[in-house]
Amino acid sequence: MGSGRLSKEEFYYPLRGIMGITIRKLNIGVVVGAASLSQLSSVAFADGEKMSITVEGGLASSEFTRDKLGAPSDEVDSDIGLYGSVGVVRDIQPGWDWSASASSLNFAPNTGTNAEGGGPGSDSYTNEFDASFVNFDIGRNFDAAGAQLRIGLGIEALSTSQDKGLSLFDDPESYFDSDLSTSFVGLGPQVSAQGSMALQQGSPLSVYGGASAALTRGVMTYDKGLIGQNPDPFGGSATEDEIANAFHGVLDAGIEYKITDSTTFRAGVRRDIFRFDSQLAADAPDELFLDEVTSDTAYVGVSVSF
């Protein structure tokens, strides 16, 4: 089969029917991201200008490979990745600020096989998910009854990718390798709310929590390539794209400890929710593309104010 546009059945069918997972390698690149608005410390500004920089990093976990296969937990390893962030908040005038941030979730490839050693009659596959997002907003700060609240309205640029590889090996003269990559790039409005409160008056220890939601619109692209031999060599590739929507929500909570007037340490947990709305995704079976991916992250960070 030569290169060209594949039918919908040819596009999806060769990758069906796979099971069992073990993590083969932790191929996590350097993650540089930013605390999106729901991760940045609330800032109550005084008369003078003030700027705060927040850096965070943590370990993320997801079950997107298990969800793709519909397999029980004792047969599938969780997907493991890294989260990293950096962001800045600066006041505009008392009670108002702007923030800019970028963040990233990078998961290791999760690989499984149904035959030891990859011998004849074996099949193996790899799943991977990554996401990065950049935010900018204007925020309004409130201080009431010892609690600080920040409401923000802005934009988010979102980029995600899902990769799926499949290898079938019957004998040295009969094999099949295929890869499906699905990526989304979009832009849209975001709203967020973050609150914090000291455990008691004058205490350096406080608790915080928040949420953010972004609805982006952009381009969903599907790339498929395959090569094989049965017994003659064959190969081909296809690309399709469409306008699609993606929702990104974040729930966040943790504790903060004020080390000095300008430095605050924090530790927390967050949940990222990605939902995709596209026709091509709706036509694809779950083992090829998930229209919802959720990840949970435990992280630590530090904020420095100037």
Side-chain angles (χ1 to χ4, degrees), residues 190-274:
Q190 184 204 38
V191 62
S192 66
Q194 175 94 24
S196 65
M197 176 181 289
L199 293 183
Q200 62 183 29
Q201 187 174 3
S203 173
L205 192 63
S206 62
V207 295
Y208 67 88
S212 67
L215 182 61
T216 63
R217 186 169 178 83
V219 177
M220 185 83 77
T221 301
Y222 304 82
D223 290 305
K224 179 184 177 182
L226 60 89
I227 59 172
Q229 181 173 311
N230 187 33
D232 297 324
F234 62 87
S237 63
T239 299
E240 294 186 59
D241 57 58
E242 66 171 345
I243 301 300
N245 300 317
F247 168 84
H248 176 213
V250 178
L251 300 174
D252 184 44
I255 58 173
E256 294 179 324
Y257 184 81
K258 192 171 184 178
I259 303 172
T260 68
D261 288 341
S262 61
T263 305
T264 301
F265 173 82
R266 61 188 354 227
V269 292
R270 56 176 282 153
R271 167 165 286 194
D272 287 83
I273 303 168
F274 303 90

Side-chain angles (χ1 to χ4, degrees), residues 124-196:
S124 62
Y125 53 90
T126 300
N127 287 293
E128 187 175 2
F129 177 80
D130 298 301
S132 59
F133 36 98
V134 177
N135 302 91
F136 177 84
D137 86 332
I138 302 296
R140 180 71 169 96
N141 294 273
F142 304 91
D143 190 346
Q148 289 76 48
L149 176 66
R150 182 183 190 274
I151 304 295
L153 182 63
I155 58 174
E156 174 169 300
L158 174 65
S159 174
T160 69
S161 66
Q162 293 189 47
D163 294 306
K164 175 70 169 295
L166 172 65
S167 296
L168 304 176
F169 178 67
D170 291 331
D171 58 61
E173 294 185 355
S174 180
Y175 67 89
F176 174 89
D177 289 309
S178 182
D179 179 75
L180 176 67
S181 176
T182 307
S183 61
F184 173 82
V185 177
L187 181 72
Q190 184 204 38
V191 62
S192 66
Q194 175 94 24
S196 65

Side-chain angles (χ1 to χ4, degrees), residues 89-112:
V89 178
R90 185 166 183 175
D91 71 319
I92 301 172
Q93 62 183 35
W96 291 87
D97 63 49
W98 60 260
S99 76
S101 61
S103 63
S104 180
L105 284 165
N106 191 299
F107 283 89
N110 197 342
T111 301

